[in-house]
Amino acid sequence: MKYALRATVASLAVAVTIPFFATPAQAGPVATGPDGGAAGAAWTAAEDGPQQYPNIHIDWDVPITMSDGTVLKGNVYRPADAASHPIDTRTPVIVNMTPYTKLVSNLADHANAIPGLSDALLNLLRQIDLSGTPLSGVTDLTKAFGGGELRNFSVDRQLIKSGYTQVVVDVRGTGFSQGKWDMLRDREQRDTVEVIDWASRQQWSDGKVGMNGISYSGINQVQVAEKQPPALKAIFPVVPGSDLVDDVLAPGGGFGFNFIPLWLTAINGLKWVPDVQSIVTGKFDGKWLDDRISDPYTYMDVLIHAYTNTNMDTLDPRVKQMLNEMSAERQAWLGDPSSIRVPTFVTGGWHDLFTYSESKIYNEIPLPPGQKQLFMGNTYHLNSGNEYGKPGLPPRLDVLQRAWFDKWLKGIDNGIDGYGPVTLRQQGGGWITQGGFGPSAPAEEAARYRRMYLSGERSGTANSVYDGSLTSEFRGGPQRLTVAPGITMLCSNDAAQATAGVLSVIDGCGKDSRIAETNGLTFTSAPVAEETTISGPIAVRLNTVQDASDGYWTVTVNDVAPDGQSTVLSSGQLMASLRQVDEARSSRSENGDYTDPRAYTSLDKRQPTIPGEATELNIALSATQAVLAPGHRLRVDVFAGNFPKGLPIAPMLADTGLKPEHLQLDPNAPSFVNIPVKGDPRW
């Protein structure tokens, strides 16, 4: 009763504040600012208030037969009446394709389904506040559970009760589904198209299908939207990727050595959990067991071989396919967002596993702003939603998702198409809305690119292998600086990113680079004179010298506070032998320098370096939005390696010899960062 009264009061308050006397072109509520204004309050009231239907009916493990005969299993959640009978009305359908098994979704869903339990758990998590301590990152993780993330991941019962059917399906080779796990490749993409078609033709469906889900399920949405299935009308991908090799499998050519093994182990373990009920009832699926036996540990053998075979000639062909840009394997993982034609709401984070792709997905979709939206928090993979749902902050993720589907699947004019279209949490600042981001930013919002040179002149600001300066003009004569592989990157923002945010709980790793910098080269600018914004993709050119036939370089761009704290804004990495740039997929600024130098990271393009000779590297860093407050400085860090985020496969690691690497500072071949700046830093 107390909850219903609170929701009713909220609804009445919204009704009073929404401007219903808008012009004909503004028939619905108008969204304003990052919190959505009156429209945002209405979206929250719609999600949190009483729903049209009181209950949910669940059909467990419904068989869905694919065109090749493989049977996938899906749970179907339908609105139900007071007696828990499914309603007769046809509804839109929300599909979620998951490799994490429906069992995991069920656990999260049942926590939400028990009256009072989910609220109690969320309240308990919200009380965990370690702000101001060296473990303040713990609070960032616990707050995420109150930001709607669980409903996006599993099942949103409020959404279903409002008149949607949700279908959660184990992708082939995982959960209770038959087949061999195809890990986001062609067969799995065809399966998703067929599941959408199946869902649109069921007697409980009105023919309109949307998709939701986090991470893997977000990538799956982007992939299938590119296929343009007729029934698919809208998607809401949270932390999706588009170029899986450069995003997470092998960033810059170095395999993701931390996240990938743990992730593969988890999926391969979960896929062996049997359908116990079918065993008890004598209906166990023997084909399921045969498929598991024939494919017991998908891709784990490939990973093991990549780090045990030091001979490139005898390398497992599957490893070569992953690192060959023309292979069918690689092409299946390389998305083409320019083919997407349905409304798409992309949610990402500046330190997410897939941050490089997230803003690019938005920019490449050929839809008008509003029909496509970009929402970027200052978050890692696990803590999306950690700063939402409070006064002045954006609505929760489940609230935004509900508004998105209400608009594009039910035709409700709720103003969500006027939100954003780009909503950003500025690193070092607050939440803002913009008309675009990076290449799509309108002229009045666009940053101007400028070179800042890596100089040997001492800055006196860093405890590093070499404390250089970042200057608007090259200063000093030729100089060679040496940096060697080390272990300090174990405590770094990149390590926190590679663990999906787990290491971010330690502020000295996730929020401060001073430990990592003790084994790096640092180049720091003078303090900015006024508030300065960094907005868009970043590129760094290094003039390097190797002592071996290969090297692995990592670069970060940081915000340095007056007290010395060095916070990573963006990062990038590259194997020296994989330096060849794909010009067709790269971009440059008006000054002719790269803004996004897209390396092939392909073994067939490999060019070993010549020991002792200079080699130019162009390294792409993920796009970002950050504010340098007056008195803060910009810093570029350079490291030789990036373990555990990236580790070259054994043959390439052997070619580096783990030898020291050299940065050649030369006025005739300078090293610099091409940085997008708004404001007058007076550098």
Side-chain angles (χ1 to χ4, degrees):
M1 177 66 70
K2 183 178 179 181
Y3 175 81
L5 178 61
R6 185 168 66 246
T8 301
V9 171
S11 299
L12 289 173
V14 170
V16 171
T17 56
I18 293 176
F20 286 106
F21 44 87
T23 65
Q26 297 175 325
V30 178
T32 56
D35 64 359
W43 306 333
T44 301
E47 175 73 355
D48 290 347
Q51 302 302 321
Q52 183 177 3
Y53 303 101
N55 287 313
I56 292 175
H57 173 87
I58 307 174
D59 291 319
W60 302 100
D61 301 314
V62 176
I64 309 171
T65 304
M66 300 293 97
S67 56
D68 66 350
T70 299
V71 177
L72 308 187
K73 295 293 183 67
N75 291 344
V76 179
Y77 300 79
R78 297 172 59 191
D81 60 21
S84 295
H85 297 136
I87 63 171
D88 294 329
T89 306
R90 294 175 179 265
T91 70
V93 183
I94 308 300
V95 170
N96 184 320
M97 304 289 292
T98 178
Y100 303 114
T101 81
K102 302 186 305 301
L103 291 175
V104 176
S105 295
N106 291 343
L107 290 174
D109 171 51
H110 278 72
N112 285 325
I114 300 174
L117 178 59
S118 61
D119 288 341
L121 288 173
L122 291 178
N123 287 332
L124 177 62
L125 290 170
R126 291 189 186 109
Q127 291 174 16
I128 301 175
D129 189 353
L130 299 180
S131 301
T133 76
L135 297 176
S136 70
V138 172
T139 307
D140 294 334
L141 285 174
T142 57
K143 285 192 301 184
F145 293 104
E149 187 179 48
L150 284 180
R151 288 180 176 175
N152 295 91
F153 173 73
S154 59
V155 175
D156 185 347
R157 287 180 169 255
Q158 290 291 91
L159 183 70
I160 297 165
K161 290 178 181 180
S162 74
Y164 289 88
T165 295
Q166 185 156 8
V167 179
V168 181
V169 181
D170 292 328
V171 300
R172 78 166 51 213
T174 71
F176 296 163
S177 292
Q178 297 175 355
K180 297 180 180 180
W181 184 31
D182 200 41
M183 201 174 84
L184 296 165
R185 297 186 300 176
D186 290 334
R187 180 62 250 187
E188 183 177 295
Q189 293 171 33
R190 290 199 297 274
D191 288 347
T192 307
V193 171
E194 292 176 17
V195 168
I196 290 171
D197 178 65
W198 173 86
S200 72
R201 293 184 288 102
Q202 300 307 298
Q203 51 87 18
W204 32 257
S205 171
D206 71 357
K208 297 176 182 176
V209 177
M211 293 191 74
N212 76 336
I214 291 176
S215 188
Y216 192 105
S217 301
I219 298 167
N220 179 276
Q221 293 175 59
V222 173
Q223 289 180 330
V224 76
E226 295 169 4
K227 308 295 184 187
Q228 302 179 12
L232 184 63
K233 303 302 180 184
I235 62 174
F236 195 93
V238 178
V239 290
S242 183
D243 186 344
L244 303 187
V245 171
D246 274 344
D247 280 342
V248 69
L249 288 175
F255 264 57
F257 189 75
N258 194 309
F259 174 76
I260 294 299
L262 294 175
W263 179 72
L264 284 175
T265 299
I267 302 297
N268 278 294
L270 285 170
K271 77 181 188 182
W272 277 95
V273 177
D275 182 354
V276 176
Q277 183 177 2
S278 70
I279 297 175
V280 173
T281 59
K283 298 179 180 179
F284 181 69
D285 184 357
K287 177 68 164 56
W288 176 92
L289 182 59
D290 290 342
D291 290 338
R292 294 301 182 273
I293 292 173
S294 65
D295 184 34
Y297 39 77
T298 311
Y299 281 108
M300 288 298 294
D301 55 334
V302 180
L303 188 69
I304 293 170
H305 187 85
Y307 288 107
T308 56
N309 186 343
T310 60
N311 189 333
M312 188 70 76
D313 293 334
T314 58
L315 193 65
D316 189 317
R318 292 171 295 176
V319 179
K320 293 182 179 180
Q321 289 169 6
M322 288 183 186
L323 292 177
N324 186 331
E325 53 108 14
M326 293 307 296
S327 71
E329 187 117 9
R330 179 76 170 266
Q331 289 297 308
W333 286 328
L334 181 61
D336 180 18
S338 66
S339 298
I340 295 176
R341 297 294 186 274
V342 297
T344 302
F345 195 116
V346 178
T347 294
W350 299 128
H351 306 292
D352 185 61
L353 289 168
F354 305 104
T355 186
Y356 180 81
S357 282
E358 286 158 354
S359 62
K360 291 172 73 68
I361 292 171
Y362 169 82
N363 282 323
E364 291 176 14
I365 295 174
L367 292 174
Q371 290 186 36
K372 63 174 182 177
Q373 300 212 14
L374 177 66
F375 187 94
M376 297 291 291
N378 192 22
T379 51
Y380 295 89
H381 200 62
L382 290 179
N383 64 359
S384 298
N386 75 347
E387 201 180 36
Y388 315 152
K390 295 182 179 180
L393 297 179
R396 302 189 314 265
L397 291 182
D398 59 319
V399 170
L400 291 170
Q401 173 181 268
R402 163 76 176 275
W404 193 248
F405 290 140
D406 279 354
K407 168 65 180 180
W408 302 113
L409 297 184
K410 288 188 173 181
I412 298 174
D413 192 4
N414 57 13
I416 188 67
D417 52 326
Y419 185 61
V422 172
T423 307
L424 308 173
R425 171 61 153 84
Q426 299 182 105
Q427 297 190 72
W431 284 93
I432 62 169
T433 56
Q434 295 187 166
F437 177 64
S440 67
E444 64 273 14
E445 296 175 355
R448 183 176 181 181
Y449 278 88
R450 59 177 297 169
R451 283 188 182 187
M452 291 292 286
Y453 293 90
L454 278 56
S455 166
E457 185 177 90
R458 300 276 184 173
S459 77
T461 63
N463 177 25
S464 58
V465 173
Y466 190 91
D467 168 33
S469 294
L470 199 60
T471 57
S472 57
E473 296 180 352
F474 186 89
R475 295 179 185 173
Q479 187 175 358
R480 178 173 292 189
L481 307 178
T482 299
V483 60
I487 62 172
T488 61
M489 291 300 281
L490 286 167
C491 182
S492 67
N493 181 268
D494 271 22
Q497 182 187 37
T499 57
V502 173
L503 274 181
S504 70
V505 302
I506 305 173
D507 287 1
C509 297
K511 296 180 180 179
D512 196 339
S513 291
R514 282 179 286 185
I515 292 176
E517 288 171 350
T518 59
N519 194 52
L521 309 175
T522 58
F523 302 89
T524 312
S525 75
V528 298
E530 63 179 46
E531 186 174 279
T532 301
T533 300
I534 310 298
S535 181
I538 302 169
V540 171
R541 189 174 84 181
L542 298 181
N543 186 21
T544 70
V545 176
Q546 331 295 320
D547 286 341
S549 59
D550 210 343
Y552 191 29
W553 293 83
T554 298
V555 178
T556 68
V557 170
N558 299 19
D559 172 2
V560 182
D563 66 1
Q565 179 171 324
S566 179
T567 304
V568 171
L569 304 177
S570 184
S571 68
Q573 52 279 313
L574 184 66
M575 292 294 301
S577 65
L578 301 180
R579 62 190 177 277
Q580 186 174 345
V581 174
D582 182 354
E583 294 290 348
R585 298 172 59 214
S586 301
S587 58
R588 297 177 183 263
S589 54
E590 290 182 358
N591 61 12
D593 294 330
Y594 286 113
T595 59
D596 183 21
R598 193 63 166 182
Y600 283 104
T601 56
S602 181
L603 292 179
D604 66 316
K605 304 286 187 182
R606 194 167 184 241
Q607 299 173 329
T609 57
I610 300 175
E613 291 192 7
T615 302
E616 179 183 299
L617 304 181
N618 290 285
I619 302 177
L621 282 70
S622 301
T624 194
Q625 180 87 12
V627 174
L628 304 182
H632 285 231
R633 303 167 186 260
L634 189 71
R635 174 176 291 167
V636 171
D637 290 342
V638 180
F639 303 96
N642 202 13
F643 181 81
K645 181 179 179 180
L647 182 68
I649 59 175
M652 297 173 73
L653 185 63
D655 285 346
T656 71
L658 294 177
K659 293 182 178 180
E661 301 170 0
H662 313 285
L663 183 64
Q664 187 71 32
L665 301 181
D666 186 340
N668 297 316
S671 297
F672 58 85
V673 58
N674 194 27
I675 192 85
V677 176
K678 291 193 290 183
D680 183 10
R682 315 240 181 105
W683 281 325

mmCIF file of all heavy atoms in Angstrom, residues 437-457:
data_model
loop_
_atom_site.group_PDB
_atom_site.id
_atom_site.type_symbol
_atom_site.label_atom_id
_atom_site.label_comp_id
_atom_site.label_asym_id
_atom_site.label_seq_id
_atom_site.Cartn_x
_atom_site.Cartn_y
_atom_site.Cartn_z
ATOM 1 N N PHE A 437 28.897 13.544 -30.941
ATOM 2 C CA PHE A 437 30.135 13.293 -30.224
ATOM 3 C C PHE A 437 31.224 12.921 -31.207
ATOM 4 O O PHE A 437 31.010 12.107 -32.118
ATOM 5 C CB PHE A 437 29.954 12.166 -29.203
ATOM 6 C CG PHE A 437 31.222 11.813 -28.475
ATOM 7 C CD1 PHE A 437 31.839 12.734 -27.645
ATOM 8 C CD2 PHE A 437 31.816 10.572 -28.636
ATOM 9 C CE1 PHE A 437 33.011 12.426 -26.980
ATOM 10 C CE2 PHE A 437 32.983 10.243 -27.977
ATOM 11 C CZ PHE A 437 33.579 11.179 -27.141
ATOM 12 N N GLY A 438 32.408 13.495 -31.006
ATOM 13 C CA GLY A 438 33.515 13.188 -31.902
ATOM 14 C C GLY A 438 33.202 13.626 -33.316
ATOM 15 O O GLY A 438 32.818 14.786 -33.546
ATOM 16 N N PRO A 439 33.272 12.718 -34.298
ATOM 17 C CA PRO A 439 33.028 13.090 -35.701
ATOM 18 C C PRO A 439 31.625 13.636 -35.949
ATOM 19 O O PRO A 439 31.416 14.373 -36.915
ATOM 20 C CB PRO A 439 33.241 11.770 -36.456
ATOM 21 C CG PRO A 439 34.087 10.937 -35.566
ATOM 22 C CD PRO A 439 33.705 11.312 -34.169
ATOM 23 N N SER A 440 30.655 13.280 -35.104
ATOM 24 C CA SER A 440 29.277 13.722 -35.334
ATOM 25 C C SER A 440 28.911 14.982 -34.567
ATOM 26 O O SER A 440 27.779 15.458 -34.660
ATOM 27 C CB SER A 440 28.300 12.605 -34.945
ATOM 28 O OG SER A 440 28.323 12.383 -33.544
ATOM 29 N N ALA A 441 29.842 15.543 -33.808
ATOM 30 C CA ALA A 441 29.536 16.731 -33.018
ATOM 31 C C ALA A 441 29.268 17.924 -33.927
ATOM 32 O O ALA A 441 30.014 18.169 -34.882
ATOM 33 C CB ALA A 441 30.690 17.048 -32.076
ATOM 34 N N PRO A 442 28.209 18.692 -33.672
ATOM 35 C CA PRO A 442 27.970 19.904 -34.459
ATOM 36 C C PRO A 442 29.088 20.916 -34.226
ATOM 37 O O PRO A 442 29.833 20.831 -33.245
ATOM 38 C CB PRO A 442 26.628 20.418 -33.931
ATOM 39 C CG PRO A 442 26.448 19.770 -32.607
ATOM 40 C CD PRO A 442 27.163 18.462 -32.660
ATOM 41 N N ALA A 443 29.204 21.871 -35.130
ATOM 42 C CA ALA A 443 30.329 22.808 -35.120
ATOM 43 C C ALA A 443 30.490 23.501 -33.776
ATOM 44 O O ALA A 443 31.613 23.682 -33.282
ATOM 45 C CB ALA A 443 30.146 23.831 -36.242
ATOM 46 N N GLU A 444 29.377 23.881 -33.152
ATOM 47 C CA GLU A 444 29.480 24.628 -31.899
ATOM 48 C C GLU A 444 29.947 23.760 -30.733
ATOM 49 O O GLU A 444 30.338 24.278 -29.677
ATOM 50 C CB GLU A 444 28.139 25.278 -31.552
ATOM 51 C CG GLU A 444 27.007 24.308 -31.277
ATOM 52 C CD GLU A 444 26.260 23.880 -32.532
ATOM 53 O OE1 GLU A 444 26.782 24.126 -33.651
ATOM 54 O OE2 GLU A 444 25.164 23.315 -32.399
ATOM 55 N N GLU A 445 29.898 22.433 -30.896
ATOM 56 C CA GLU A 445 30.337 21.532 -29.836
ATOM 57 C C GLU A 445 31.672 20.873 -30.151
ATOM 58 O O GLU A 445 32.286 20.259 -29.272
ATOM 59 C CB GLU A 445 29.299 20.417 -29.626
ATOM 60 C CG GLU A 445 27.950 20.899 -29.129
ATOM 61 C CD GLU A 445 26.924 19.783 -29.047
ATOM 62 O OE1 GLU A 445 27.241 18.647 -29.475
ATOM 63 O OE2 GLU A 445 25.819 20.055 -28.574
ATOM 64 N N ALA A 446 32.130 20.998 -31.368
ATOM 65 C CA ALA A 446 33.317 20.258 -31.812
ATOM 66 C C ALA A 446 34.591 20.796 -31.171
ATOM 67 O O ALA A 446 34.747 22.003 -30.960
ATOM 68 C CB ALA A 446 33.429 20.317 -33.326
ATOM 69 N N ALA A 447 35.486 19.869 -30.852
ATOM 70 C CA ALA A 447 36.803 20.240 -30.354
ATOM 71 C C ALA A 447 37.743 20.454 -31.533
ATOM 72 O O ALA A 447 37.510 19.976 -32.640
ATOM 73 C CB ALA A 447 37.346 19.147 -29.439
ATOM 74 N N ARG A 448 38.820 21.179 -31.276
ATOM 75 C CA ARG A 448 39.826 21.427 -32.311
ATOM 76 C C ARG A 448 41.089 20.630 -31.980
ATOM 77 O O ARG A 448 41.602 20.698 -30.863
ATOM 78 C CB ARG A 448 40.154 22.917 -32.393
ATOM 79 C CG ARG A 448 41.142 23.250 -33.501
ATOM 80 C CD ARG A 448 41.362 24.747 -33.605
ATOM 81 N NE ARG A 448 42.298 25.082 -34.678
ATOM 82 C CZ ARG A 448 42.685 26.318 -34.982
ATOM 83 N NH1 ARG A 448 42.198 27.344 -34.281
ATOM 84 N NH2 ARG A 448 43.535 26.532 -35.966
ATOM 85 N N TYR A 449 41.555 19.881 -32.971
ATOM 86 C CA TYR A 449 42.736 19.057 -32.739
ATOM 87 C C TYR A 449 44.009 19.894 -32.797
ATOM 88 O O TYR A 449 44.134 20.820 -33.604
ATOM 89 C CB TYR A 449 42.814 17.930 -33.774
ATOM 90 C CG TYR A 449 41.946 16.754 -33.414
ATOM 91 C CD1 TYR A 449 40.605 16.703 -33.805
ATOM 92 C CD2 TYR A 449 42.440 15.698 -32.653
ATOM 93 C CE1 TYR A 449 39.799 15.633 -33.461
ATOM 94 C CE2 TYR A 449 41.638 14.622 -32.304
ATOM 95 C CZ TYR A 449 40.321 14.592 -32.716
ATOM 96 O OH TYR A 449 39.528 13.535 -32.367
ATOM 97 N N ARG A 450 44.938 19.526 -31.925
ATOM 98 C CA ARG A 450 46.243 20.196 -31.920
ATOM 99 C C ARG A 450 47.308 19.202 -31.469
ATOM 100 O O ARG A 450 47.036 18.260 -30.722
ATOM 101 C CB ARG A 450 46.232 21.399 -30.974
ATOM 102 C CG ARG A 450 45.892 21.054 -29.535
ATOM 103 C CD ARG A 450 45.976 22.274 -28.622
ATOM 104 N NE ARG A 450 47.329 22.806 -28.567
ATOM 105 C CZ ARG A 450 47.641 23.974 -28.015
ATOM 106 N NH1 ARG A 450 46.685 24.743 -27.515
ATOM 107 N NH2 ARG A 450 48.877 24.393 -27.974
ATOM 108 N N ARG A 451 48.511 19.419 -31.953
ATOM 109 C CA ARG A 451 49.636 18.590 -31.520
ATOM 110 C C ARG A 451 50.169 19.083 -30.174
ATOM 111 O O ARG A 451 50.268 20.276 -29.932
ATOM 112 C CB ARG A 451 50.783 18.670 -32.520
ATOM 113 C CG ARG A 451 50.627 17.876 -33.785
ATOM 114 C CD ARG A 451 51.939 17.915 -34.556
ATOM 115 N NE ARG A 451 51.862 17.197 -35.830
ATOM 116 C CZ ARG A 451 52.910 16.976 -36.615
ATOM 117 N NH1 ARG A 451 54.113 17.425 -36.250
ATOM 118 N NH2 ARG A 451 52.772 16.317 -37.747
ATOM 119 N N MET A 452 50.511 18.110 -29.332
ATOM 120 C CA MET A 452 51.304 18.387 -28.139
ATOM 121 C C MET A 452 52.488 17.426 -28.190
ATOM 122 O O MET A 452 52.319 16.208 -28.271
ATOM 123 C CB MET A 452 50.480 18.187 -26.875
ATOM 124 C CG MET A 452 49.381 19.225 -26.689
ATOM 125 S SD MET A 452 50.019 20.885 -26.356
ATOM 126 C CE MET A 452 50.565 20.698 -24.659
ATOM 127 N N TYR A 453 53.697 17.989 -28.171
ATOM 128 C CA TYR A 453 54.908 17.209 -28.420
ATOM 129 C C TYR A 453 55.471 16.591 -27.142
ATOM 130 O O TYR A 453 55.444 17.197 -26.061
ATOM 131 C CB TYR A 453 55.971 18.095 -29.062
ATOM 132 C CG TYR A 453 55.612 18.558 -30.453
ATOM 133 C CD1 TYR A 453 54.909 19.746 -30.643
ATOM 134 C CD2 TYR A 453 55.959 17.800 -31.564
ATOM 135 C CE1 TYR A 453 54.573 20.177 -31.924
ATOM 136 C CE2 TYR A 453 55.624 18.213 -32.845
ATOM 137 C CZ TYR A 453 54.928 19.402 -33.018
ATOM 138 O OH TYR A 453 54.583 19.819 -34.285
ATOM 139 N N LEU A 454 55.993 15.369 -27.286
ATOM 140 C CA LEU A 454 56.711 14.723 -26.202
ATOM 141 C C LEU A 454 58.124 15.284 -26.184
ATOM 142 O O LEU A 454 58.878 15.139 -27.156
ATOM 143 C CB LEU A 454 56.739 13.202 -26.401
ATOM 144 C CG LEU A 454 55.498 12.413 -25.957
ATOM 145 C CD1 LEU A 454 54.227 12.917 -26.636
ATOM 146 C CD2 LEU A 454 55.682 10.919 -26.233
ATOM 147 N N SER A 455 58.475 15.927 -25.086
ATOM 148 C CA SER A 455 59.741 16.650 -24.987
ATOM 149 C C SER A 455 60.578 16.102 -23.845
ATOM 150 O O SER A 455 60.050 15.677 -22.813
ATOM 151 C CB SER A 455 59.468 18.143 -24.761
ATOM 152 O OG SER A 455 60.635 18.818 -24.344
ATOM 153 N N GLY A 456 61.894 16.150 -24.007
ATOM 154 C CA GLY A 456 62.808 15.690 -22.972
ATOM 155 C C GLY A 456 62.993 16.681 -21.845
ATOM 156 O O GLY A 456 63.621 16.358 -20.826
ATOM 157 N N GLU A 457 62.445 17.856 -21.987
ATOM 158 C CA GLU A 457 62.548 18.868 -20.929
ATOM 159 C C GLU A 457 61.837 18.376 -19.666
ATOM 160 O O GLU A 457 60.680 17.966 -19.714
ATOM 161 C CB GLU A 457 61.912 20.165 -21.430
ATOM 162 C CG GLU A 457 62.038 21.340 -20.504
ATOM 163 C CD GLU A 457 61.430 22.590 -21.130
ATOM 164 O OE1 GLU A 457 60.218 22.821 -20.927
ATOM 165 O OE2 GLU A 457 62.149 23.296 -21.838
#
